[in-house]
Amino acid sequence: MADLQDEADVATAGIGAPDRPTTRKRGAEPAPEPDIPDASTARKPTRRVRARKPDPAPPAAPQEDPAPPAAAAAAAAPAEPEHLDSDVLARARAALRAHPVADGYNTLAQILVNTPWHDVELGESSLDTDIPRLRHGGVGAQFWSLMVAADCPDPVSATLERIDRLRTLVDACPEGLRLAVCVGDLADARNHGRIASLFGPVAVHALGDSLGTLRAYHALGVRAVALTATVSWTRAGLTRFGQEVVRELNRLGMLIDLSGAAPETIRDTLGAAKAPLVFTRSAARALTDHPLNVSDELLAALPENGGVCLVSLAPDQVARPGRAACVQDVADHIEHLRDVVGTAHIGLSGAYGLPPGAPRTQGLEDASCYPVLLAELIGRGWEEPAIGALTWENLARVIRDVDFAARAAQPRRGPSTATIEDLDPPH
């Protein structure tokens, strides 16, 4: 299995760019060799034709190579803020080519369920996330959230519907997306210029208090579960059944998400888990008091576990009193968390996939805007090693360590058959 530590020695394609054509076999008819376009806008020249959108012709036949729709062009190359120094922005883009973003949270699946006819592959103005924007933003891996509301009448069916939409999306966009279910898939997607697509987190109440349902999600490709305070066994710490769920998540190799968890549950999970933990969409509560943000006291225990807090870009989680949220506020949260847990334990969570009209952080309105955030950090003195840890290496390490911990546990522990009735009997 590919080790993510070795990736620096591998020449990687541009994220979202197609693989180079394979060498022609001896004796085969020569084929015209089109020019290789820039990686940020390349399309695979041998793609199977689909009825709704024909493949572009090679550059030699410009009359058959239509210009992209205006909305797609705007998505692929959004205007950068005028105040940014061009040299700093160029350094930010170079850093993203070497260290793409592993983004921890995107709710596009909910948009696709409600309005399934968006064109994610070409992009359109009604989305804040599509493949052109992800490419322009330097996103190399994306966790696609499967969360459903706490009051959802049938959370299992709603979660399965989101999984179905995401699998359909990945299958429909083979040039841009690739399903990732283990650490080797993450490296493989990056090395082939695809955006690694990881499913999760799933809401804890969508498990139906069943370890069998948890394993079914795992079989469908889900790789993260959020221990929010929406069930009896996570509401105020972990009950015996909650501890068994944590053990089963570790055995399966699924990430445990603590964003939105009760403080007692965070402490109990830090004590019970045998693999690193993540906060998929949290910022510093010391700066912005929000239910998803985390206190310094709880964060201080994260380095010993080896986990990562992914800093949310959502405006309500980073805004400071008396003003609208902006990119400088996000940078303040990142630097505060760096001071608390160190550069090895922070990452990024765009919290994109929002409906049109939803509030946005100024300067970070869509998934293409990561160069703006990195330019702000570089302007504050961040060097490339710290940038690389923030964008890719920390979350990739957690995924690898969770995967390896599962492989070590599986020979010693089989699937748990415990039930909530056995472990948490009613009083």
Side-chain angles (χ1 to χ4, degrees), residues 37-118:
D38 181 76
S40 65
T41 57
R43 296 184 64 85
K44 193 169 182 179
T46 57
R47 184 182 171 189
R48 179 174 58 87
V49 175
R50 292 187 293 176
R52 72 178 182 87
K53 183 179 67 201
D55 289 347
Q63 70 277 11
E64 296 182 16
D65 187 13
E80 306 289 0
E82 294 181 358
H83 72 276
L84 287 178
D85 182 272
S86 59
D87 291 338
V88 174
L89 193 58
R91 289 177 58 193
R93 293 195 181 106
L96 282 169
R97 286 193 292 272
H99 312 285
V101 172
D103 188 307
Y105 198 86
N106 189 297
T107 58
L108 181 65
Q110 182 176 351
I111 302 296
L112 297 178
V113 167
N114 295 332
T115 49
W117 297 112
H118 288 303

